[in-house]
Amino acid sequence: MANTATDLTEEDAADLQFPKEDDLSTFSRCNIFDNSDSTYCANCYCEVQSKYILCEKCKVNICLSCFSNGAEFLNHKNDHDYRVLSTNFVLFENSDWTAEEELKLLDCISNYGNWNLITQELPNRSVNEIIQHYEYFYLERNGCKGFPKVNFPDVALFPELVVPYRFRLADTDEPPRYLSNTVGFKSLAGYNPARSDFEIEFDKGAEDILSNLEFVDEDDPHYELLTKLQCSLVEAYNRRLQERQRWKNLIRSHGLLLVRKTHSWLKRYDNTINKNIYEKMIRFMQLCKPTKFEMLMEGLHRVGELKLHISRLINLRKIGITTLAEGRLYFKLKQSHEANKKSLKLFRQDPALNWKACKDSNFTIISKCSRRRSFAPIEISGMPGYSKLSPQEADLCSTVRLVPVTYFQLRDTLVSECRKNGSVSLQTARKLLKIDVNKTRKLYDFLLQEGYIQKTSSSIS
């Protein structure tokens, strides 16, 4: 059909459904949709929405605005035959999704990557419906065999989700019945398994509230007031009893009966969560169910482990190791080096094999002289607070065998003392820190050298 009316309005062009007898769903499977630019106007390059025009001769798309203005471009003339197309048709077989919804779905996935936000753009579809549709027609390529094939990793093929946490439900079982006056009995935090109750009650002074209650005579002029006061005391006692029972249930449900086992469980988080943090976290134990709190702690523990791994990888990258094979070889050689270093040290300490020491006539006397044992540096990379250390501080912590968090606490103690008195002596530092004297001396000298503290004139050496 020749188009002679070039001044059609946008509404008139939208009402033209030519050809009437054609099924637009069959046209949707035409090869025109294989063109990457098939949804854009060939004149103004805007994205066509809802209804648009297809030039039968040029095989290009034209938006309604350009069509109604009689736009001519390239080889296209405004008297060419055309079709009025719409995106309001079903694109795939066995589906009730229109082409317009399909376009909106793909655009939202590209822009958002979040199913909840996509649901807001498609209010008539639920989250599960959107996910199932996308997986069936696009990922599994049931909509078109020309879709790119998705290679699923082995992790995605596991039948069950692997979780990083473990439930400690066994800790809530009935504890063993130790004999009285034994270490095991004391480790139960006062719990008596034979009575299934605690020997020492929580808030054991709660009954003192009722100890001074007396009978009130009805003829007393203040009978009503005294009765209300006594009722208030009884209500307060009941609230304290409820709190006592709540703490009992909390200790049982979270498996806190065995004190030593609880401490060993928390000790597991020293290097990943940090003692100061998990001591604050356990205060919220009363607000969570046992499994939920366990999941929270194990999740934080897993985060700490990942940080340790990342820190080690960063250190390996700094020394030029970029592949797993190089990393395995590095650790293998490092282990061999440490073993050889240890055997060489033992060899030098053996008087029968150390020929240099044999030249000295006083060798027997020298060998008896005890030398201070030197300890190997520790690996502190990835520990809590490691990222805040300067290279000099990291070297000091590794050599002196101090955890970064402990180093910060000791440093802040000496710095605050220096600010208070204007200077700090070595003797004062030993009294404040209360650690090994050699560690104190090295830490004290380092802080003096770095300018954190100032030395007093009476400081001892």
Side-chain angles (χ1 to χ4, degrees):
M1 184 183 86
N3 180 12
T4 57
T6 58
D7 56 345
L8 290 175
T9 62
E10 185 172 345
E11 291 78 11
D12 295 334
D15 292 335
L16 293 175
Q17 297 292 335
F18 182 88
K20 300 290 184 179
E21 64 277 11
D22 286 354
D23 185 6
L24 293 180
S25 63
T26 59
F27 183 77
S28 66
R29 294 186 290 271
C30 179
N31 58 1
I32 186 175
F33 289 92
D34 297 333
N35 186 3
S36 60
D37 296 331
S38 59
T39 58
Y40 293 88
C41 176
N43 181 43
C44 63
Y45 301 103
C46 66
E47 185 177 5
V48 294
Q49 300 290 339
S50 186
K51 298 178 181 180
Y52 57 97
I53 308 299
L54 171 67
C55 178
E56 284 289 320
K57 185 176 181 180
C58 303
K59 298 298 181 183
V60 294
N61 295 329
I62 308 172
C63 65
L64 297 180
S65 178
C66 295
F67 176 77
S68 60
N69 294 329
E72 294 183 348
F73 50 92
L74 301 178
N75 297 328
H76 174 74
K77 303 298 180 182
N78 55 21
D79 58 349
H80 288 175
D81 294 343
Y82 64 90
R83 289 191 184 186
V84 179
L85 302 180
S86 174
T87 56
N88 190 20
F89 58 85
V90 177
L91 185 61
F92 302 128
E93 295 181 357
N94 302 323
S95 173
D96 59 347
W97 285 54
T98 63
E100 187 174 355
E101 289 179 311
E102 300 286 355
L103 292 174
K104 186 175 294 186
L105 171 63
L106 296 178
D107 289 339
C108 292
I109 291 177
S110 176
N111 296 331
Y112 301 140
N114 184 299
W115 296 116
N116 293 327
L117 296 178
I118 295 175
T119 308
Q120 297 178 6
E121 298 293 335
L122 298 169
N124 296 328
R125 306 289 180 178
S126 63
V127 177
N128 294 331
E129 186 178 0
I130 294 174
I131 295 175
Q132 293 175 2
H133 178 82
Y134 181 71
E135 291 179 350
Y136 181 79
F137 287 100
Y138 292 93
L139 298 184
E140 299 178 7
R141 302 195 302 165
N142 292 317
C144 178
K145 297 301 180 183
F147 288 162
K149 186 176 181 180
V150 179
N151 296 324
F152 293 96
D154 296 337
V155 179
L157 301 178
F158 288 162
E160 295 181 359
L161 180 63
V162 180
V163 293
Y165 48 81
R166 297 172 298 175
F167 296 142
R168 295 169 52 255
L169 298 180
D171 293 345
T172 61
D173 297 340
E174 187 68 19
R177 302 189 178 189
Y178 297 105
L179 296 177
S180 59
N181 299 325
T182 60
V183 178
F185 182 81
K186 294 179 180 179
S187 68
L188 290 178
Y191 181 78
N192 189 347
R195 292 175 48 199
S196 186
D197 206 346
F198 290 86
E199 294 284 356
I200 303 174
E201 296 283 1
F202 173 80
D203 192 10
K204 59 182 180 181
E207 285 74 10
D208 295 340
I209 299 179
L210 305 180
S211 60
N212 297 325
L213 289 183
E214 297 179 355
F215 180 77
V216 181
D217 190 359
E218 294 183 359
D219 296 334
D220 193 315
H222 304 290
Y223 172 77
E224 294 184 0
L225 178 61
L226 294 176
T227 302
K228 291 181 180 180
L229 289 175
Q230 290 183 343
C231 291
S232 300
L233 292 176
V234 173
E235 291 177 357
Y237 173 67
N238 290 333
R239 285 195 296 269
R240 295 176 71 170
L241 289 182
Q242 293 175 0
E243 184 68 12
R244 176 187 294 174
Q245 188 62 37
R246 187 179 74 88
W247 279 102
K248 288 182 180 180
N249 297 334
L250 180 67
I251 292 176
R252 289 192 182 100
S253 61
H254 285 271
L256 303 179
L257 292 175
L258 298 174
V259 179
R260 291 189 174 183
K261 198 168 186 178
T262 302
H263 284 297
S264 62
W265 164 61
L266 293 174
K267 195 73 176 177
R268 179 168 172 260
Y269 303 130
D270 281 348
N271 294 330
T272 54
I273 302 180
N274 192 357
K275 184 177 180 180
N276 295 332
I277 296 178
Y278 70 65
E279 284 182 348
K280 295 178 181 179
M281 291 297 299
I282 59 178
R283 301 175 185 176
F284 300 96
M285 184 183 293
Q286 56 182 315
L287 306 177
C288 303
K289 294 183 179 179
T291 54
K292 294 293 185 181
F293 184 77
E294 183 73 13
M295 291 167 60
L296 173 62
M297 296 299 292
E298 289 298 324
L300 295 176
H301 175 66
R302 182 58 178 167
V303 171
E305 288 181 337
L306 292 177
K307 288 183 178 179
L308 291 176
H309 291 319
I310 292 174
S311 179
R312 294 191 183 102
L313 291 175
I314 291 175
N315 291 335
L316 291 176
R317 179 59 66 89
K318 288 181 179 179
I319 60 179
I321 297 176
T322 57
T323 62
L324 292 177
E326 292 176 353
R328 296 190 191 98
L329 179 61
Y330 169 76
F331 286 112
K332 184 177 181 180
L333 294 176
K334 183 179 180 181
Q335 184 179 5
S336 176
H337 175 73
E338 294 294 336
N340 294 335
K341 188 177 179 180
K342 185 176 181 181
S343 61
L344 180 60
K345 185 177 180 180
L346 295 175
F347 175 80
R348 290 176 176 175
Q349 292 176 351
D350 190 352
L353 301 176
N354 195 341
W355 61 273
K356 291 184 178 180
C358 293
K359 294 181 180 180
D360 193 349
S361 59
N362 298 327
F363 170 72
T364 56
I365 300 176
I366 297 175
S367 61
K368 293 181 180 179
C369 296
S370 60
R371 297 183 60 187
R372 184 171 297 277
R373 184 180 177 185
S374 60
F375 296 94
I378 62 173
E379 181 66 27
I380 63 172
S381 60
M383 289 187 177
Y386 174 77
S387 58
K388 300 179 181 179
L389 294 173
S390 64
Q392 296 80 6
E393 292 175 331
D395 184 64
L396 174 72
C397 292
S398 178
T399 305
V400 184
R401 300 176 66 85
L402 281 177
V403 178
V405 176
T406 305
Y407 163 75
F408 287 127
Q409 294 175 353
L410 299 178
R411 186 193 67 181
D412 294 341
T413 301
L414 293 182
V415 170
S416 61
E417 181 68 18
C418 181
R419 291 177 179 174
K420 186 187 300 181
N421 300 325
S423 60
V424 180
S425 64
L426 181 58
Q427 185 177 5
T428 305
R430 289 172 178 169
K431 292 180 181 180
L432 291 175
L433 302 185
K434 297 180 181 180
I435 59 175
D436 183 72
V437 292
N438 296 315
K439 290 185 178 180
T440 305
R441 180 56 185 264
K442 293 180 180 180
L443 179 61
Y444 181 80
D445 293 340
F446 175 78
L447 295 179
L448 283 176
Q449 182 181 356
E450 296 296 325
Y452 286 102
I453 60 176
Q454 295 181 0
K455 182 178 180 181
T456 58
S457 58
S458 61
S459 177
I460 64 174
S461 59

